[in-house]
Amino acid sequence: MTKEDIGVWDVCTNSALRRASRQLSQLYDDVLAPSGLKITQFTLLSQIWRSGDASLKTLADLMVMDLSALGHTLKPLIRDGYVELVPDRSDRRVKRVQLTKLGVQKQEDALALWTEAQARFEKSYGKAQSKALRKDLNLIAASSFADAFRSG
Amino acid sequence: MTKEDIGVWDVCTNSALRRASRQLSQLYDDVLAPSGLKITQFTLLSQIWRSGDASLKTLADLMVMDLSALGHTLKPLIRDGYVELVPDRSDRRVKRVQLTKLGVQKQEDALALWTEAQARFEKSYGKAQSKALRKDLNLIAASSFADAFRSG
DNA sequence: TTTATTTACTGGCATATGCCACTATATAAT
DNA sequence: ATTATATAGTGGCATATGCCAGTAAATAAA
Protein backbone atom coordinates (compact mmCIF):
# COMPACT_ATOMS: atom_id res chain seq x y z
CA MET A 1 0.00 0.00 0.00
CA THR A 2 1.39 3.40 -0.96
CA LYS A 3 0.50 4.95 2.36
CA GLU A 4 3.07 2.89 4.20
CA ASP A 5 5.70 2.84 1.48
CA ILE A 6 6.01 6.54 0.86
CA GLY A 7 7.31 8.87 3.54
CA VAL A 8 6.35 12.51 3.92
CA TRP A 9 9.88 13.33 2.84
CA ASP A 10 9.07 11.81 -0.55
CA VAL A 11 6.44 14.42 -1.22
CA CYS A 12 7.25 17.36 1.06
CA THR A 13 10.42 19.22 0.23
CA ASN A 14 10.51 20.90 3.60
CA SER A 15 10.44 17.67 5.53
CA ALA A 16 13.07 16.20 3.22
CA LEU A 17 15.23 19.22 3.93
CA ARG A 18 14.85 18.98 7.69
CA ARG A 19 15.37 15.25 7.75
CA ALA A 20 18.57 15.54 5.74
CA SER A 21 19.67 18.39 8.01
CA ARG A 22 19.24 16.25 11.07
CA GLN A 23 21.25 13.44 9.58
CA LEU A 24 24.05 15.59 8.23
CA SER A 25 24.39 17.74 11.34
CA GLN A 26 24.58 14.53 13.31
CA LEU A 27 27.40 13.26 11.14
CA TYR A 28 29.32 16.54 11.24
CA ASP A 29 28.78 16.84 15.00
CA ASP A 30 30.35 13.46 15.54
CA VAL A 31 33.45 14.46 13.61
CA LEU A 32 33.69 17.83 15.36
CA ALA A 33 33.13 16.34 18.81
CA PRO A 34 36.82 16.38 19.84
CA SER A 35 36.78 20.18 19.49
CA GLY A 36 33.87 20.55 21.88
CA LEU A 37 31.99 22.52 19.22
CA LYS A 38 28.79 21.53 17.47
CA ILE A 39 28.72 22.13 13.73
CA THR A 40 26.22 24.94 14.29
CA GLN A 41 28.67 26.68 16.58
CA PHE A 42 31.59 26.12 14.28
CA THR A 43 29.52 27.57 11.46
CA LEU A 44 28.79 30.67 13.50
CA LEU A 45 32.41 31.19 14.51
CA SER A 46 33.44 30.79 10.88
CA GLN A 47 30.88 33.23 9.58
CA ILE A 48 31.66 35.77 12.28
CA TRP A 49 35.27 35.61 11.18
CA ARG A 50 34.31 35.98 7.54
CA SER A 51 31.99 38.88 8.22
CA GLY A 52 34.63 40.97 9.90
CA ASP A 53 32.73 42.81 12.59
CA ALA A 54 29.16 42.71 11.35
CA SER A 55 26.30 43.82 13.55
CA LEU A 56 23.97 41.24 15.05
CA LYS A 57 21.32 42.26 12.55
CA THR A 58 23.64 41.93 9.57
CA LEU A 59 24.86 38.55 10.74
CA ALA A 60 21.29 37.38 11.36
CA ASP A 61 20.33 38.38 7.82
CA LEU A 62 23.34 36.63 6.34
CA MET A 63 22.58 33.49 8.29
CA VAL A 64 18.88 33.73 7.42
CA MET A 65 18.19 33.59 11.10
CA ASP A 66 15.87 35.46 13.40
CA LEU A 67 17.70 38.26 15.20
CA SER A 68 16.72 37.10 18.65
CA ALA A 69 17.44 33.49 17.73
CA LEU A 70 20.95 34.53 16.79
CA GLY A 71 21.30 36.33 20.08
CA HIS A 72 20.25 33.22 21.95
CA THR A 73 22.50 30.95 19.94
CA LEU A 74 25.48 33.18 20.63
CA LYS A 75 24.97 33.03 24.38
CA PRO A 76 26.95 29.81 24.93
CA LEU A 77 29.74 31.06 22.66
CA ILE A 78 29.94 34.33 24.55
CA ARG A 79 29.81 32.52 27.88
CA ASP A 80 32.70 30.31 26.78
CA GLY A 81 34.70 33.33 25.70
CA TYR A 82 34.80 32.71 21.96
CA VAL A 83 32.68 35.65 20.93
CA GLU A 84 32.07 39.15 22.20
CA LEU A 85 29.54 41.84 21.40
CA VAL A 86 31.09 45.27 20.99
CA PRO A 87 28.77 48.29 21.09
CA ASP A 88 29.08 50.42 17.98
CA ARG A 89 30.44 53.91 18.63
CA SER A 90 28.33 55.86 16.18
CA ASP A 91 25.01 54.04 16.48
CA ARG A 92 24.43 53.10 20.06
CA ARG A 93 21.70 50.60 19.18
CA VAL A 94 24.13 48.45 17.27
CA LYS A 95 26.34 45.72 18.63
CA ARG A 96 29.14 44.29 16.55
CA VAL A 97 29.94 40.60 16.76
CA GLN A 98 33.60 39.69 17.07
CA LEU A 99 35.70 36.64 17.70
CA THR A 100 37.98 36.79 20.71
CA LYS A 101 41.53 35.52 20.41
CA LEU A 102 40.33 32.34 22.03
CA GLY A 103 37.50 32.19 19.51
CA VAL A 104 39.87 32.52 16.56
CA GLN A 105 42.03 29.81 18.02
CA LYS A 106 39.08 27.53 18.60
CA GLN A 107 37.83 28.04 15.06
CA GLU A 108 41.25 27.24 13.68
CA ASP A 109 41.48 24.10 15.79
CA ALA A 110 38.08 22.87 14.70
CA LEU A 111 38.78 23.73 11.09
CA ALA A 112 40.85 20.58 10.66
CA LEU A 113 37.95 18.49 11.92
CA TRP A 114 35.48 20.31 9.71
CA THR A 115 37.75 19.70 6.73
CA GLU A 116 37.74 16.03 7.57
CA ALA A 117 33.94 15.99 7.77
CA GLN A 118 33.58 17.91 4.55
CA ALA A 119 36.01 15.52 2.85
CA ARG A 120 34.01 12.53 3.99
CA PHE A 121 30.83 14.12 2.76
CA GLU A 122 32.29 14.84 -0.64
CA LYS A 123 33.72 11.37 -0.85
CA SER A 124 30.28 9.89 -0.25
CA TYR A 125 28.20 12.40 -2.13
CA GLY A 126 30.58 13.53 -4.83
CA LYS A 127 32.54 16.75 -5.01
CA ALA A 128 30.73 18.24 -7.99
CA GLN A 129 27.39 17.02 -6.65
CA SER A 130 28.13 18.68 -3.34
CA LYS A 131 28.89 21.96 -4.97
CA ALA A 132 25.73 21.76 -7.07
CA LEU A 133 23.69 20.92 -3.98
CA ARG A 134 25.05 23.90 -2.08
CA LYS A 135 24.15 26.09 -5.02
CA ASP A 136 20.59 24.75 -5.01
CA LEU A 137 20.28 25.23 -1.27
CA ASN A 138 21.70 28.74 -1.40
CA LEU A 139 19.12 29.60 -4.00
CA ILE A 140 16.39 28.52 -1.60
CA ALA A 141 18.00 30.52 1.17
CA ALA A 142 18.15 33.68 -0.94
CA SER A 143 15.80 36.50 -0.08
CA SER A 144 14.76 36.68 -3.72
CA PHE A 145 13.47 33.14 -3.39
CA ALA A 146 11.43 34.08 -0.33
CA ASP A 147 9.96 36.99 -2.27
CA ALA A 148 9.04 34.74 -5.18
CA PHE A 149 7.50 32.17 -2.85
CA ARG A 150 5.44 34.75 -1.00
CA SER A 151 4.16 36.42 -4.13
CA GLY A 152 3.50 33.09 -5.85
CA MET B 1 38.33 40.33 -0.51
CA THR B 2 37.13 36.74 -0.66
CA LYS B 3 36.71 36.48 3.09
CA GLU B 4 33.80 38.90 3.07
CA ASP B 5 32.29 37.83 -0.22
CA ILE B 6 31.95 34.14 0.44
CA GLY B 7 29.66 32.82 3.14
CA VAL B 8 30.20 29.61 5.08
CA TRP B 9 27.21 28.23 3.21
CA ASP B 10 29.22 28.52 0.00
CA VAL B 11 31.75 26.01 1.25
CA CYS B 12 30.01 24.02 3.98
CA THR B 13 27.21 21.78 2.83
CA ASN B 14 25.87 21.39 6.32
CA SER B 15 25.47 25.09 6.90
CA ALA B 16 23.90 25.48 3.46
CA LEU B 17 21.43 22.78 4.40
CA ARG B 18 20.54 24.34 7.72
CA ARG B 19 20.25 27.82 6.27
CA ALA B 20 17.92 26.63 3.53
CA SER B 21 15.94 24.69 6.13
CA ARG B 22 15.42 27.80 8.21
CA GLN B 23 14.24 29.77 5.23
CA LEU B 24 11.93 27.11 3.85
CA SER B 25 10.40 26.17 7.19
CA GLN B 26 9.76 29.84 7.72
CA LEU B 27 7.93 30.09 4.42
CA TYR B 28 5.89 26.94 5.00
CA ASP B 29 5.09 28.00 8.56
CA ASP B 30 3.65 31.26 7.31
CA VAL B 31 1.34 29.45 4.92
CA LEU B 32 0.31 26.89 7.56
CA ALA B 33 -0.25 29.53 10.22
CA PRO B 34 -4.06 29.61 9.88
CA SER B 35 -4.16 25.95 10.91
CA GLY B 36 -2.27 26.63 14.11
CA LEU B 37 0.27 23.99 13.15
CA LYS B 38 3.94 24.48 12.37
CA ILE B 39 5.25 22.62 9.34
CA THR B 40 7.22 20.35 11.66
CA GLN B 41 4.04 19.37 13.44
CA PHE B 42 2.11 18.90 10.23
CA THR B 43 4.92 16.70 9.00
CA LEU B 44 4.71 14.56 12.11
CA LEU B 45 0.93 14.19 11.93
CA SER B 46 1.25 13.22 8.28
CA GLN B 47 3.95 10.65 8.88
CA ILE B 48 2.12 9.17 11.86
CA TRP B 49 -0.87 8.72 9.60
CA ARG B 50 1.24 7.15 6.89
CA SER B 51 3.00 4.83 9.29
CA GLY B 52 -0.18 3.28 10.59
CA ASP B 53 0.57 2.64 14.24
CA ALA B 54 4.33 2.52 14.35
CA SER B 55 6.20 2.45 17.62
CA LEU B 56 8.03 5.54 18.82
CA LYS B 57 11.31 3.89 17.92
CA THR B 58 10.18 3.00 14.41
CA LEU B 59 8.85 6.48 13.84
CA ALA B 60 12.04 8.03 15.16
CA ASP B 61 14.10 5.92 12.78
CA LEU B 62 11.91 6.83 9.85
CA MET B 63 12.14 10.51 10.69
CA VAL B 64 15.90 10.21 11.28
CA MET B 65 15.29 11.68 14.67
CA ASP B 66 16.55 10.87 18.13
CA LEU B 67 14.04 8.77 20.06
CA SER B 68 13.85 11.12 22.99
CA ALA B 69 13.72 14.13 20.68
CA LEU B 70 10.69 12.61 19.02
CA GLY B 71 9.11 12.05 22.40
CA HIS B 72 9.65 15.70 23.29
CA THR B 73 8.37 16.96 19.98
CA LEU B 74 5.21 14.91 20.33
CA LYS B 75 4.41 16.42 23.73
CA PRO B 76 2.57 19.49 22.39
CA LEU B 77 0.65 17.34 19.90
CA ILE B 78 -0.39 14.93 22.63
CA ARG B 79 -1.29 17.79 24.94
CA ASP B 80 -3.49 19.30 22.22
CA GLY B 81 -5.19 15.96 21.64
CA TYR B 82 -3.94 15.23 18.14
CA VAL B 83 -1.79 12.26 19.01
CA GLU B 84 -1.87 9.48 21.55
CA LEU B 85 0.60 6.84 22.65
CA VAL B 86 -0.93 3.39 22.98
CA PRO B 87 1.02 0.74 24.91
CA ASP B 88 1.65 -2.36 22.85
CA ARG B 89 -0.06 -5.49 24.16
CA SER B 90 2.63 -8.03 23.45
CA ASP B 91 5.76 -6.01 24.20
CA ARG B 92 5.16 -3.84 27.20
CA ARG B 93 8.15 -1.63 26.48
CA VAL B 94 6.66 -0.44 23.23
CA LYS B 95 4.28 2.45 22.69
CA ARG B 96 2.48 2.88 19.43
CA VAL B 97 1.89 6.34 18.04
CA GLN B 98 -1.57 7.07 16.73
CA LEU B 99 -3.58 10.01 15.50
CA THR B 100 -6.77 10.76 17.39
CA LYS B 101 -9.92 11.62 15.45
CA LEU B 102 -9.13 15.24 16.16
CA GLY B 103 -5.62 14.67 14.89
CA VAL B 104 -6.84 13.18 11.63
CA GLN B 105 -9.19 16.09 11.21
CA LYS B 106 -6.47 18.62 11.92
CA GLN B 107 -4.14 16.97 9.46
CA GLU B 108 -6.82 17.04 6.79
CA ASP B 109 -7.55 20.69 7.46
CA ALA B 110 -3.91 21.67 7.25
CA LEU B 111 -3.39 19.55 4.16
CA ALA B 112 -4.98 22.22 1.98
CA LEU B 113 -2.57 24.79 3.32
CA TRP B 114 0.39 22.48 2.89
CA THR B 115 -0.69 21.86 -0.71
CA GLU B 116 -0.71 25.58 -1.26
CA ALA B 117 2.78 25.94 0.21
CA GLN B 118 4.10 23.05 -1.81
CA ALA B 119 2.55 24.51 -4.96
CA ARG B 120 4.23 27.85 -4.33
CA PHE B 121 7.53 26.13 -3.76
CA GLU B 122 7.28 24.17 -6.96
CA LYS B 123 6.24 27.24 -8.86
CA SER B 124 9.35 29.06 -7.67
CA TYR B 125 11.78 26.19 -7.73
CA GLY B 126 10.40 24.03 -10.49
CA LYS B 127 8.42 20.84 -10.20
CA ALA B 128 11.04 18.51 -11.65
CA GLN B 129 13.78 20.34 -9.76
CA SER B 130 11.86 19.89 -6.53
CA LYS B 131 11.50 16.21 -7.07
CA ALA B 132 15.18 15.87 -7.87
CA LEU B 133 16.10 17.86 -4.80
CA ARG B 134 13.98 15.65 -2.55
CA LYS B 135 15.69 12.65 -4.04
CA ASP B 136 19.11 14.14 -3.28
CA LEU B 137 18.08 15.00 0.25
CA ASN B 138 16.58 11.59 0.88
CA LEU B 139 19.84 10.05 -0.21
CA ILE B 140 21.65 12.08 2.44
CA ALA B 141 19.05 11.08 5.02
CA ALA B 142 19.42 7.38 4.23
CA SER B 143 21.16 5.19 6.77
CA SER B 144 23.37 3.82 4.01
CA PHE B 145 24.69 7.34 3.52
CA ALA B 146 25.50 7.64 7.20
CA ASP B 147 27.34 4.35 7.03
CA ALA B 148 29.34 5.49 4.02
CA PHE B 149 30.16 8.80 5.68
CA ARG B 150 31.30 7.18 8.90
CA SER B 151 33.46 4.58 7.20
CA GLY B 152 34.83 7.15 4.74
C1' DT C 1 12.12 71.12 18.12
C1' DT C 2 8.49 68.03 19.30
C1' DT C 3 6.18 63.90 17.75
C1' DA C 4 5.67 59.73 15.04
C1' DT C 5 7.95 55.97 13.07
C1' DT C 6 11.49 52.80 12.16
C1' DT C 7 15.40 50.12 13.70
C1' DA C 8 18.42 47.19 16.82
C1' DC C 9 18.54 44.54 20.59
C1' DT C 10 16.86 42.07 25.00
C1' DG C 11 14.14 38.94 27.81
C1' DG C 12 10.48 35.64 28.36
C1' DC C 13 8.07 31.85 26.58
C1' DA C 14 7.52 27.87 23.33
C1' DT C 15 8.87 24.35 20.12
C1' DA C 16 12.69 21.42 17.84
C1' DT C 17 16.30 18.40 18.68
C1' DG C 18 20.02 15.79 21.02
C1' DC C 19 22.70 13.56 24.99
C1' DC C 20 22.86 11.07 29.16
C1' DA C 21 21.27 8.50 33.05
C1' DC C 22 17.76 5.60 34.68
C1' DT C 23 13.76 2.25 34.54
C1' DA C 24 11.26 -1.45 32.74
C1' DT C 25 11.17 -5.31 29.56
C1' DA C 26 12.51 -8.68 26.69
C1' DT C 27 16.18 -11.88 24.94
C1' DA C 28 20.34 -14.30 24.88
C1' DA C 29 23.89 -16.73 27.40
C1' DT C 30 25.28 -19.82 31.07
C1' DA D 1 16.16 -20.73 36.24
C1' DT D 2 19.59 -17.09 36.78
C1' DT D 3 22.45 -13.75 34.94
C1' DA D 4 24.05 -10.76 31.30
C1' DT D 5 22.82 -7.96 27.59
C1' DA D 6 20.11 -5.51 24.43
C1' DT D 7 15.94 -2.65 23.55
C1' DA D 8 12.15 0.99 24.26
C1' DG D 9 10.85 4.84 26.73
C1' DT D 10 11.11 8.70 30.21
C1' DG D 11 12.94 12.79 32.52
C1' DG D 12 16.41 16.28 33.07
C1' DC D 13 19.56 19.35 31.01
C1' DA D 14 21.44 21.96 27.00
C1' DT D 15 21.52 24.03 22.49
C1' DA D 16 18.91 25.75 18.17
C1' DT D 17 15.44 28.60 16.62
C1' DG D 18 11.32 31.63 16.47
C1' DC D 19 7.53 34.91 18.20
C1' DC D 20 6.15 38.71 20.86
C1' DA D 21 6.43 42.55 23.92
C1' DG D 22 9.26 46.04 25.67
C1' DT D 23 13.34 49.40 25.64
C1' DA D 24 16.52 52.43 23.68
C1' DA D 25 18.13 55.06 20.06
C1' DA D 26 18.08 57.05 15.46
C1' DT D 27 15.30 59.21 11.76
C1' DA D 28 11.51 61.13 9.46
C1' DA D 29 7.47 64.01 9.81
C1' DA D 30 4.88 67.88 11.49
Side-chain angles (χ1 to χ4, degrees):
Chain A
M1 208 185 295
T2 40
K3 172 166 152 305
E4 274 81 10
D5 297 335
I6 299 180
V8 213
W9 48 87
D10 287 312
V11 290
C12 175
T13 308
N14 183 265
S15 60
L17 204 41
R18 292 188 75 101
R19 206 170 72 119
S21 283
R22 286 191 293 268
Q23 170 101 287
L24 197 57
S25 287
Q26 197 61 55
L27 296 172
Y28 273 65
D29 276 351
D30 288 348
V31 178
L32 282 201
S35 73
L37 292 177
K38 319 278 279 327
I39 181 60
T40 47
Q41 303 179 318
F42 173 76
T43 296
L44 269 176
L45 294 187
S46 300
Q47 189 56 43
I48 291 170
W49 175 76
R50 282 171 183 277
S51 297
D53 68 336
S55 67
L56 276 172
K57 173 78 166 94
T58 300
L59 189 57
D61 287 346
L62 286 170
M63 296 288 296
V64 187
M65 196 178 282
D66 178 85
L67 172 60
S68 70
L70 174 60
H72 296 152
T73 304
L74 286 177
K75 287 267 171 67
L77 295 173
I78 292 171
R79 176 201 60 202
D80 296 341
Y82 302 141
V83 171
E84 57 186 353
L85 301 183
V86 182
D88 185 283
R89 297 193 181 283
S90 54
D91 189 332
R92 286 189 293 177
R93 293 170 304 180
V94 173
K95 288 188 178 173
R96 305 204 163 275
V97 191
Q98 296 176 347
L99 289 188
T100 62
K101 282 205 195 311
L102 186 61
V104 174
Q105 190 182 313
K106 195 72 181 177
Q107 198 277 338
E108 285 168 353
D109 282 356
L111 183 57
L113 295 170
W114 172 83
T115 303
E116 163 69 12
Q118 185 77 353
R120 285 199 207 174
F121 179 79
E122 295 189 337
K123 187 173 174 190
S124 304
Y125 193 76
K127 195 174 172 64
Q129 292 287 318
S130 302
K131 186 166 185 167
L133 177 60
R134 286 197 298 276
K135 193 175 178 184
D136 291 343
L137 295 171
N138 291 336
L139 173 68
I140 293 174
S143 56
S144 54
F145 183 85
D147 294 341
F149 182 99
R150 293 201 194 90
S151 63
Chain B
M1 206 185 295
T2 40
K3 171 166 152 303
E4 273 83 9
D5 296 337
I6 299 181
V8 211
W9 47 87
D10 287 312
V11 290
C12 175
T13 309
N14 184 266
S15 60
L17 204 42
R18 292 189 75 100
R19 208 171 70 119
S21 282
R22 285 192 293 269
Q23 170 100 287
L24 197 58
S25 288
Q26 196 61 54
L27 296 172
Y28 273 66
D29 275 352
D30 288 348
V31 178
L32 283 202
S35 73
L37 291 176
K38 320 277 279 327
I39 182 60
T40 46
Q41 302 180 317
F42 173 77
T43 296
L44 269 176
L45 294 187
S46 300
Q47 189 55 42
I48 291 169
W49 176 75
R50 282 172 182 278
S51 297
D53 69 335
S55 67
L56 275 172
K57 172 77 165 97
T58 300
L59 190 57
D61 288 345
L62 285 170
M63 296 288 298
V64 187
M65 194 178 285
D66 178 86
L67 172 60
S68 70
L70 174 60
H72 296 150
T73 305
L74 286 177
K75 287 266 172 66
L77 296 173
I78 292 171
R79 176 201 59 201
D80 297 342
Y82 301 140
V83 171
E84 56 185 355
L85 300 183
V86 182
D88 185 283
R89 299 191 179 285
S90 55
D91 189 333
R92 286 189 294 176
R93 291 169 304 180
V94 173
K95 288 189 179 173
R96 305 205 164 274
V97 190
Q98 296 175 347
L99 289 189
T100 61
K101 283 208 194 309
L102 187 61
V104 173
Q105 191 183 310
K106 196 72 181 177
Q107 198 276 339
E108 286 169 353
D109 282 358
L111 183 56
L113 295 170
W114 172 83
T115 304
E116 164 68 13
Q118 185 77 351
R120 286 198 207 174
F121 178 80
E122 295 189 337
K123 188 174 173 188
S124 304
Y125 193 77
K127 196 173 171 65
Q129 292 286 317
S130 302
K131 185 166 184 167
L133 176 60
R134 286 197 298 275
K135 193 174 178 183
D136 291 343
L137 295 170
N138 291 336
L139 172 68
I140 293 174
S143 56
S144 53
F145 183 85
D147 294 340
F149 182 99
R150 293 201 194 91
S151 62

